[in-house]
Amino acid sequence: MSSHSICENIKQIKQQFENVELVVVSKYRNLDELQAVYDCGHRDLGENRVQELVSKAEVLPADIRWHAIGHLQTNKVKYIAPFVHLIHSVDSFKLLKIIDKEAQKAGRVIPFLFQIHIAEEETKFGLSIEELEVILSSEEYALLNNVKCKGLMGMATNTNDQEQVASEFKGLRSLFDKHAKALDWDTLSMGMSSDHALAIRNGSTMIRVGSLIFN
Ligand SMILES: *Cc1c(COP(=O)(O)O)cnc(C)c1O
């Protein structure tokens, strides 16, 4: 795909959904394609594998904001802790405690989202609503000084049933609304290439889009 069309695709999405933040998902894409995104003026890139994120970050401009969007293994946190912009995929308290520890070592506060399991599929990672509530009300959570929750992330079921997808997004939005004010949350990351319009209609503030931009 030419750098011109990549930029046109990004501009089109931004124009259509002005009040939503766009994370361009750059996994599997080469450096020329990422450079095209950068040259288009876009700075938020998302990767789901730590190794790929780190190796791309090493060679691309330093002002790119890197989003970690995939399941994160605890032993990989240290590689992204010094610079990651937002971790979308906190799916266990154990992981969060490791992120806090590595953030402290790096001398910073790392913004993150709790990933909530909203899909029917067994395979998708994420916390249940009950698990989230337990974490939020725990004393140990209150003591973490080097992480800052910005909100929630979720992935809907991969189905053509629009009503089901919409209802999963609605459910996540209402969980977000329940806590956003008291906990100072501003980010609800939901919606990918196939379902971003539906996600936005149901209250998404941040979409993660890959194939729609590069294909
Ligand atoms: C790959 C990926 C996306 C983007 O998927 P597309 O269908 O290419 O838009 C979004 N979120 C996560 C967590 C992903 O792994």
Side-chain angles (χ1 to χ4, degrees):
M1 153 138 307
S2 77
S3 58
H4 176 73
S5 355
I6 290 173
C7 191
E8 285 305 309
N9 292 343
I10 290 173
K11 281 185 185 156
Q12 200 181 335
I13 293 173
K14 283 186 171 173
Q15 198 173 27
Q16 197 179 353
F17 305 109
E18 267 177 329
N19 301 318
V20 174
E21 287 182 83
L22 170 66
V23 175
V24 172
V25 176
S26 53
K27 66 186 184 203
Y28 316 135
R29 305 298 163 178
N30 64 39
L31 293 174
D32 287 343
E33 290 172 301
L34 271 64
Q35 187 66 45
V37 173
Y38 185 88
D39 292 340
C40 189
H42 194 75
R43 294 292 177 269
D44 289 273
L45 295 185
E47 289 282 339
N48 65 342
R49 289 173 56 238
V50 165
Q51 249 144 347
E52 202 175 331
L53 192 163
V54 170
S55 64
K56 284 170 170 172
E58 272 168 5
V59 293
L60 286 163
D63 60 339
I64 291 176
R65 295 192 289 253
W66 292 98
H67 295 246
I69 61 171
H71 176 65
L72 190 52
Q73 288 170 282
T74 51
N75 62 347
K76 301 272 174 69
V77 173
K78 57 178 179 283
Y79 302 113
I80 58 171
F83 66 93
V84 69
H85 178 69
L86 179 65
I87 298 177
H88 290 230
S89 44
V90 172
D91 57 7
S92 75
F93 194 29
K94 181 182 165 210
L95 173 63
L96 186 59
K97 286 186 278 189
I98 304 274
I99 295 171
D100 183 71
K101 197 179 84 185
E102 294 298 335
Q104 192 175 10
K105 279 191 208 163
R108 60 186 295 241
V109 173
I110 296 182
F112 75 95
L113 308 174
F114 284 112
Q115 181 175 357
I116 307 300
H117 184 102
I118 56 171
E120 261 185 5
E121 289 114 323
E122 293 277 319
T123 49
K124 292 200 174 136
F125 292 100
L127 299 164
S128 67
I129 295 177
E130 294 72 27
E131 287 168 326
L132 175 72
E133 301 294 355
V134 169
I135 294 173
L136 291 180
S137 56
S138 76
E139 270 176 48
E140 214 183 348
Y141 177 63
L143 294 174
L144 301 180
N145 289 320
N146 292 82
V147 285
K148 166 74 181 104
C149 185
K150 305 291 286 176
L152 303 175
M153 183 272 244
M155 292 167 84
T157 304
N158 185 12
T159 171
N160 289 325
D161 184 345
Q162 301 285 293
E163 271 177 46
Q164 181 178 346
V165 173
S167 105
E168 290 169 359
F169 286 147
K170 278 193 187 87
L172 189 58
R173 176 70 206 205
S174 60
L175 182 63
F176 175 80
D177 286 339
K178 180 181 170 193
H179 294 291
K181 210 166 182 188
L183 299 181
D184 186 30
W185 290 355
D186 59 13
T187 305
L188 180 55
S189 169
M190 58 183 200
M192 326 196 330
S193 290
S194 59
D195 57 15
H196 65 289
L198 198 54
I200 291 165
R201 245 180 281 141
N202 288 288
S204 169
T205 73
M206 181 180 275
I207 54 175
R208 309 175 310 274
V209 179
S211 39
L212 193 64
I213 286 164
F214 294 103
N215 289 341

